[in-house]
Amino acid sequence: MSLRYAILGLLSKEPATGYSVTREFKYRITHFWSAHHTQIYRELVKMEAEGLVRSKTIRQSDFPDKKVYAVEEKGMTLLLHWLLQTPEKKETLSMKDPRLLRVSLLHLIDIDQSMAYLASYRDQHKSAQKEIKEWQSVHLESLNNEQFGEYLTSEFAIRYMEMWSDWCEWATSVLKEYKKKGDLNETQHVESDGS
Amino acid sequence: MSLRYAILGLLSKEPATGYSVTREFKYRITHFWSAHHTQIYRELVKMEAEGLVRSKTIRQSDFPDKKVYAVEEKGMTLLLHWLLQTPEKKETLSMKDPRLLRVSLLHLIDIDQSMAYLASYRDQHKSAQKEIKEWQSVHLESLNNEQFGEYLTSEFAIRYMEMWSDWCEWATSVLKEYKKKGDLNETQHVESDGS
DNA sequence: TGACACATGTAATAAGTTACATGATTAT
DNA sequence: ATAATCATGTAACTTATTACATGTGTCA
């Protein structure tokens, strides 16, 4: 139920279309929020029905019409209320990372395969980090108050990516050692002494 | 659609009940997977209908009956297939962290409030890290092949928590400085020079 | 000619959450 | 008594994803 807060948060900075909200989620704040475009369009319609936002259809000659949404007072009040409420009931984090799921089961597959995955995960995060840094240097040259939160969260993202790639390298080195010793994916029966 | 892989992964280590699967998700692999108990029960029923797992009802004298699920060959094949398929289509990560959402909008609220949030987030991750370390020392004393993946992912979790609390401290110090300078949450109108 | 970016959406399905229900035992 | 843990589930609901649809302009 906090998709709407994410949307309101974006709209509070400047009015936007469903399309541009989707784009922002996709290219900028993937590290803490994501949503599918159909979901965003539907939510925006619902929010307008509830009087939280208001749309204005802009006619364009070179492109199809677009609907620009802006936050209404009621929406701003709701957003502020959410921001201020003490998060007693632990907010649903719902981490669901299939990559880590895979790693947790790596004893079931080939060790070289596992290392290949780790290498690609590492590259993914390295390049993601690079992108964020580039985004920072473009959008966060001169900080104003509105951008301050984004400065903090983009720094979070950089550290997160750093942590990921460091961990990948660490895990790879650990796997390499185990491979040398032949502990993994080999003769698993020698360990069970009796059962 | 990868909830079933998470469940199959747990069952592949040892047969379990819906209840214990829920418990494992909750206390052990929260950092990369989570699911509600009703969802797990439903999924298990569906999976049994599809022949991926098989249940056995165990009568208990002191407790109500329980249904222990074990992976069938078909389920194991499916799991292995999923593990081996190259993840070309970027797997849906769907990060949804309301805490970071809040931080990204911290210019809308009081700066002391923001710092209070950061402090509690820091504590949360500190204690979560402690719990994982304790879990490690209990469950990962002598590593066998099956536990190897969990060793890697629990190390990930520890680093993740470390990163989080470090970032909280960094963000707090940055906010402190800004507070001194009075840049945030004060006289935002002085900046706009003309518009 | 086909793909891609712009821009918006419907319909169908899958996934996830909340509220509620049952019924025993153990701890406070 | 009351709450908590064990153990399983149904029903109702909300949220999220996929497939599909439409239509224009630009680029290779």
Side-chain angles (χ1 to χ4, degrees):
Chain A
M1 203 60 191
S2 44
L3 165 64
R4 54 177 52 193
Y5 303 116
I7 295 174
L8 285 170
L10 273 182
L11 295 185
S12 76
K13 308 212 170 178
E14 55 184 338
T17 66
Y19 191 88
S20 63
V21 169
T22 308
R23 213 178 39 218
E24 288 293 290
F25 277 164
K26 216 170 171 178
Y27 294 110
R28 220 185 72 218
I29 53 178
T30 22
H31 54 284
F32 68 89
W33 213 269
S34 61
H36 200 265
H37 77 112
T38 56
Q39 209 185 336
I40 291 163
Y41 283 119
R42 226 189 322 139
E43 191 67 28
L44 281 169
V45 169
K46 258 170 68 187
M47 283 160 79
E48 185 161 31
E50 292 174 42
L52 305 171
V53 295
R54 173 153 43 183
S55 71
K56 211 192 274 184
T57 303
I58 309 263
R59 290 195 181 272
Q60 292 184 124
S61 50
D62 45 346
F63 288 109
D65 294 356
K66 64 177 175 181
K67 265 164 93 182
V68 177
Y69 287 87
V71 187
E72 291 280 282
E73 249 191 78
K74 202 177 162 188
M76 204 60 200
T77 310
L78 185 73
L79 176 62
L80 286 171
H81 180 260
W82 177 78
L83 282 171
L84 288 171
Q85 79 181 158
T86 15
E88 347 82 87
K89 24 106 184 269
K90 51 175 171 183
E91 293 168 310
T92 37
L93 218 175
S94 89
M95 247 287 209
K96 264 152 216 192
D97 196 324
R99 295 166 304 190
L100 290 170
L101 220 193
R102 257 183 211 184
V103 173
S104 80
L105 299 166
L106 96 184
H107 62 279
L108 293 173
I109 60 170
D110 182 63
I111 193 165
D112 292 304
Q113 182 87 53
S114 298
M115 288 201 283
Y117 283 149
L118 285 172
S120 88
Y121 296 157
R122 185 190 152 277
D123 294 345
Q124 271 171 36
H125 291 95
K126 279 267 172 198
S127 69
Q129 192 191 49
K130 210 179 136 199
E131 272 174 45
I132 299 160
K133 281 181 178 169
E134 277 161 17
W135 177 84
Q136 268 197 343
S137 67
V138 172
H139 296 266
L140 260 43
E141 266 185 299
S142 59
L143 268 189
N144 64 39
N145 279 342
E146 263 197 14
Q147 293 172 319
F148 200 77
E150 292 179 64
Y151 164 56
L152 297 182
T153 51
S154 62
E155 175 69 25
F156 178 95
I158 288 171
R159 286 165 181 240
Y160 178 70
M161 301 305 167
E162 187 78 25
M163 189 235 99
W164 246 104
S165 39
D166 283 353
W167 174 80
C168 285
E169 278 166 22
W170 169 81
T172 304
S173 73
V174 174
L175 280 181
K176 229 177 242 170
E177 254 188 67
Y178 266 78
K179 198 190 166 188
K180 253 192 269 172
K181 288 200 274 169
D183 274 354
L184 211 59
N185 286 112
E186 254 182 48
T187 57
Q188 299 191 12
H189 54 277
V190 291
E191 287 169 295
S192 49
D193 49 328
S195 61
Chain B
M1 201 59 190
S2 46
L3 165 63
R4 55 176 51 194
Y5 302 117
I7 295 174
L8 285 170
L10 273 183
L11 295 184
S12 76
K13 308 212 167 177
E14 54 183 341
T17 66
Y19 191 88
S20 64
V21 169
T22 307
R23 211 178 42 219
E24 289 293 290
F25 276 163
K26 217 169 170 178
Y27 293 110
R28 220 185 70 219
I29 53 178
T30 22
H31 54 284
F32 69 88
W33 213 269
S34 60
H36 200 266
H37 78 112
T38 56
Q39 208 186 337
I40 291 163
Y41 283 118
R42 224 189 321 145
E43 190 68 26
L44 281 169
V45 170
K46 259 170 68 186
M47 283 161 79
E48 185 162 31
E50 291 174 43
L52 303 171
V53 296
R54 173 152 43 185
S55 71
K56 211 191 275 185
T57 303
I58 309 263
R59 287 192 184 274
Q60 293 183 126
S61 49
D62 46 347
F63 287 110
D65 295 356
K66 63 176 173 182
K67 267 164 92 180
V68 177
Y69 287 89
V71 186
E72 291 280 280
E73 251 190 76
K74 202 177 161 188
M76 204 61 198
T77 310
L78 185 73
L79 176 60
L80 286 171
H81 180 259
W82 177 77
L83 281 171
L84 288 169
Q85 79 180 162
T86 15
E88 345 84 83
K89 25 102 182 271
K90 49 174 170 179
E91 293 168 311
T92 37
L93 216 176
S94 87
M95 248 286 209
K96 262 151 217 193
D97 197 323
R99 296 166 303 190
L100 290 170
L101 218 192
R102 258 182 212 190
V103 174
S104 79
L105 299 167
L106 95 183
H107 61 280
L108 294 172
I109 61 171
D110 183 63
I111 193 165
D112 292 303
Q113 182 88 55
S114 298
M115 288 200 281
Y117 283 149
L118 285 171
S120 89
Y121 296 158
R122 184 191 152 276
D123 294 345
Q124 272 172 33
H125 290 95
K126 279 267 171 200
S127 70
Q129 192 190 50
K130 210 181 136 198
E131 272 174 45
I132 299 161
K133 280 180 178 169
E134 277 160 18
W135 178 86
Q136 267 197 344
S137 68
V138 172
H139 295 268
L140 261 42
E141 267 184 298
S142 59
L143 268 190
N144 65 38
N145 279 342
E146 262 197 14
Q147 293 171 317
F148 200 76
E150 293 179 63
Y151 165 55
L152 298 183
T153 50
S154 61
E155 174 68 25
F156 179 94
I158 288 170
R159 287 165 180 240
Y160 178 69
M161 302 304 168
E162 187 78 23
M163 188 235 99
W164 246 104
S165 39
D166 283 354
W167 173 81
C168 285
E169 280 167 21
W170 169 82
T172 303
S173 73
V174 173
L175 280 182
K176 231 177 243 170
E177 254 188 67
Y178 266 78
K179 198 190 166 190
K180 253 192 272 173
K181 287 199 275 170
D183 275 352
L184 211 58
N185 287 111
E186 256 182 45
T187 57
Q188 298 190 14
H189 54 278
V190 292
E191 289 169 296
S192 50
D193 50 325
S195 59

